[in-house]
Structure formats: structure tokens, C-alpha cells
């Protein structure tokens, strides 16, 4: 069989609910922003409750998903990884770039809990709650596999130009206006949002070519239902300018 000419049809088995409402500011790998919490909601027309039986026995899962917002842009044989400063090209299969031939991504995520709810129509709605995610809200999930430590964690593995985890690059402070907005929220929600903002911005989500250079631009990102604006006040520090709730249209 000539598999190179074959075509395969894949249907999503679930959808991601995530604090990241837009691609900008999503961390480049899972686990870098531990405060990012969300869940995978399995589609309602499958036997989702049976599918997750036994999953609670695993601490982590592999999540395979589609880079759905990139598919229309096609793919590139060579790309510029941020870890190389965004100015050196390597083969796409030597990277985690989103511009891939089949647009498939994968993340290993901690499982917080698995919950199944029976709806009024007797269908089951199942959610897998995860943390440290690096996924856009609404991302289609095409498969989930348990993480197996003895086979998936290899001490002798080498990682080319991405051998070490990136260090947090920026310290984060909040303006008087941003602090007032946080204080206006419920205490637990305010603390969770503040930690999430700090962890996201500490990774410096700007394009690689703008990092480590003077930058007076004002940037914006959306986390949960908040629009956050921020600015790099120095090469090592970022200030959160405003935190505004998203108004319903």
C-alpha cells in the first residue's frame, strides 16, 4: 500500500476550554505557566464516560490537537524558532512550530480531575481538568493518551537547541490602576488572575526579535474575560498598565 497517497479523516473528540482567548501570549511549551488552568470537554455524541474510565489513575496525559487557526496559512519547510532568537532557520520537523504539514500539536499536561455529568437528555458530558496548558480556547482535540513515565521520560534524551527549559526573563509589576482592578474582584479570583498574568509575562511573549531590546510599544492580551495591557519599562521589567473586563457584545 502506498501510504504517501492515502487520505485520512480525523474528527475531534473534544474541545479545549482555556484562559487564552487569542494566540498572542500563549506560552511556547506546556508547563511554563502552571497557573493556566482549563479543561477538555469531550463531544457529547460519543460514549465519553466509558472512554475516560481508569484515566484518573494517571497524573499526566498526552493531548493531541489541531493548530486550527493556522491551517489556512499552510506550512513551511523551514522556520525560525524563538529559542534561536527568531533569526535562524531550521527544518520544521526539528521544531515545535505551529506551521506543520498536518497541523497537529501535542502537549503533556497534568490531570487535575475527571468529571462526568449526566445531562437532562441522558447524554453524558465529560470534562478532563488540566493545568499548565499552552492551548488556545476552542482548540479541537483529536486524541488523548496516558503519560507513561517509564517509557515517555528518557534520561538519555537530547534536545538539540532546546536542551534546557527557558528561564523567566522579566519581572512583573502592576500599575495603580491594574492593582485597583484586581482588588475589585473576589479575593480568590484576583489572586489566580494576578499569578497567571505574572507567569505569562515573565516568559516575555513578545516576538523574539523584540526581546532584549528597548521597546516602548504597548501590548495587549486577553486572559479569561479580561483585556490586559502592558509595557516593558526596561530590559528586565514589565508593567501591567490596565486590566479591563471584556464587555459583552
Amino acid at each position: 500500500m502506498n501510504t504517501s497517497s492515502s487520505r485520512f479523516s480525523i474528527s475531534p473528540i473534544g474541545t479545549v476550554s482555556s484562559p487564552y482567548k487569542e494566540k498572542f501570549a500563549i506560552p511556547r511549551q506546556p508547563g511554563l505557566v502552571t497557573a493556566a488552568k482549563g479543561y477538555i470537554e469531550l463531544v457529547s455524541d460519543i460514549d465519553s464516560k466509558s472512554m475516560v474510565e481508569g484515566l484518573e489513575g494517571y497524573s499526566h496525559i498526552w493531548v493531541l490537537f489541531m493548530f486550527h487557526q493556522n491551517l489556512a496559512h499552510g506550512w513551511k519547510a523551514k522556520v525560525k524558532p524563538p529559542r534561536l532568537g527568531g533569526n535562524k532557520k531550521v527544518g520544521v520537523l526539528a521544531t515545535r512550530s505551529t506551521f506543520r504539514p498536518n497541523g497537529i500539536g501535542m502537549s503533556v499536561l497534568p490531570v487535575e480531575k475527571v468529571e462526568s455529568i449526566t445531562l437532562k437528555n441522558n447524554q453524558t458530558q465529560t470534562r478532563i481538568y488540566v493545568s499548565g496548558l499552552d492551548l488556545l480556547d476552542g482548540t479541537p482535540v483529536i486524541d488523548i493518551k496516558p503519560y507513561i513515565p517509564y517509557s515517555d521520560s528518557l534520561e538519555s534524551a537530547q534536545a538539540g537547541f532546546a536542551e534546557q527549559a527557558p528561564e523567566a526573563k522579566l519581572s512583573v509589576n502592576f500599575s495603580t490602576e491594574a492593582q485597583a482592578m484586581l482588588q475589585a474582584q473576589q479575593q480568590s479570583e484576583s489572586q489566580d488572575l494576578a499569578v497567571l498574568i505574572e507567569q505569562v509575562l515573565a516568559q516575555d511573549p513578545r516576538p523574539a526579535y523584540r526581546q532584549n531590546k528597548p521597546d516602548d510599544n504597548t501590548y495587549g492580551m486577553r486572559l479569561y474575560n479580561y483585556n490586559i495591557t502592558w509595557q516593558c519599562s526596561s530590559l528586565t521589567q514589565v508593567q501591567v498598565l490596565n486590566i479591563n473586563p471584556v464587555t459583552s457584545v
Side-chain angles (χ1 to χ4, degrees):
M1 179 180 177
N2 182 7
T3 57
S4 63
S5 62
S6 300
R7 294 292 183 267
F8 302 93
S9 176
I10 296 177
S11 298
I13 65 169
T15 305
V16 172
S17 178
S18 162
Y20 303 112
K21 306 304 180 182
E22 56 190 18
K23 290 187 289 185
F24 182 66
I26 294 179
R28 295 185 174 97
Q29 299 295 338
L32 297 179
V33 177
T34 57
K37 299 181 184 297
Y39 58 83
I40 300 164
E41 187 169 274
L42 300 183
V43 297
S44 59
D45 59 349
I46 61 176
D47 190 1
S48 57
K49 186 175 182 180
S50 296
M51 290 176 67
V52 298
E53 186 174 339
L55 190 61
E56 70 279 355
Y58 295 91
S59 64
H60 294 72
I61 53 174
W62 286 104
V63 180
L64 279 72
F65 57 91
M66 301 299 299
F67 291 115
H68 61 300
Q69 288 197 356
N70 277 18
L71 295 177
H73 301 293
W75 63 282
K76 302 174 183 178
K78 300 190 76 172
V79 296
K80 298 178 179 179
R83 289 295 291 271
L84 295 178
N87 53 22
K88 180 180 178 181
K89 287 188 175 183
V90 298
V92 66
L93 297 184
T95 75
R96 299 286 186 94
S97 170
T98 59
F99 295 99
R100 317 189 68 78
N102 286 312
I104 297 174
M106 63 180 187
S107 294
V108 60
L109 301 174
V111 177
E112 301 296 334
K113 67 175 180 177
V114 181
E115 182 179 69
S116 292
I117 302 171
T118 301
L119 305 177
K120 291 181 179 180
N121 58 5
N122 290 325
Q123 288 186 322
T124 300
Q125 184 64 72
T126 300
R127 292 179 177 178
I128 304 168
Y129 289 82
V130 292
S131 59
L133 71 170
D134 58 339
L135 304 173
L136 181 68
D137 189 59
T139 292
V141 173
I142 58 175
D143 202 3
I144 293 169
K145 302 178 187 292
Y147 180 89
I148 309 296
Y150 77 83
S151 63
D152 293 348
S153 179
L154 305 175
E155 294 182 1
S156 60
Q158 298 181 2
F161 56 82
E163 192 70 41
Q164 301 295 329
E167 296 181 0
K169 299 178 180 179
L170 300 173
S171 60
V172 180
N173 64 70
F174 293 81
S175 70
T176 302
E177 292 81 0
Q179 290 180 23
M181 187 62 211
L182 286 172
Q183 292 171 1
Q185 310 305 311
Q186 294 182 0
Q187 184 174 1
S188 60
E189 181 180 343
S190 171
Q191 291 175 343
D192 291 346
L193 180 60
V195 172
L196 178 61
I197 293 171
E198 289 177 0
Q199 290 186 0
V200 169
L201 293 183
Q203 299 294 327
D204 196 349
R206 294 175 299 164
Y209 68 86
R210 287 196 176 274
Q211 298 176 4
N212 303 314
K213 297 176 183 177
D215 186 357
D216 59 0
N217 290 326
T218 298
Y219 294 89
M221 62 183 183
R222 184 179 170 190
L223 299 176
Y224 292 114
N225 290 317
Y226 297 93
N227 285 324
I228 297 106
T229 56
W230 51 279
Q231 195 172 49
C232 287
S233 52
S234 72
L235 295 181
T236 60
Q237 191 170 73
V238 61
Q239 183 175 48
V240 179
L241 302 175
N242 281 291
I243 302 171
N244 295 313
V246 176
T247 55
S248 301
V249 178

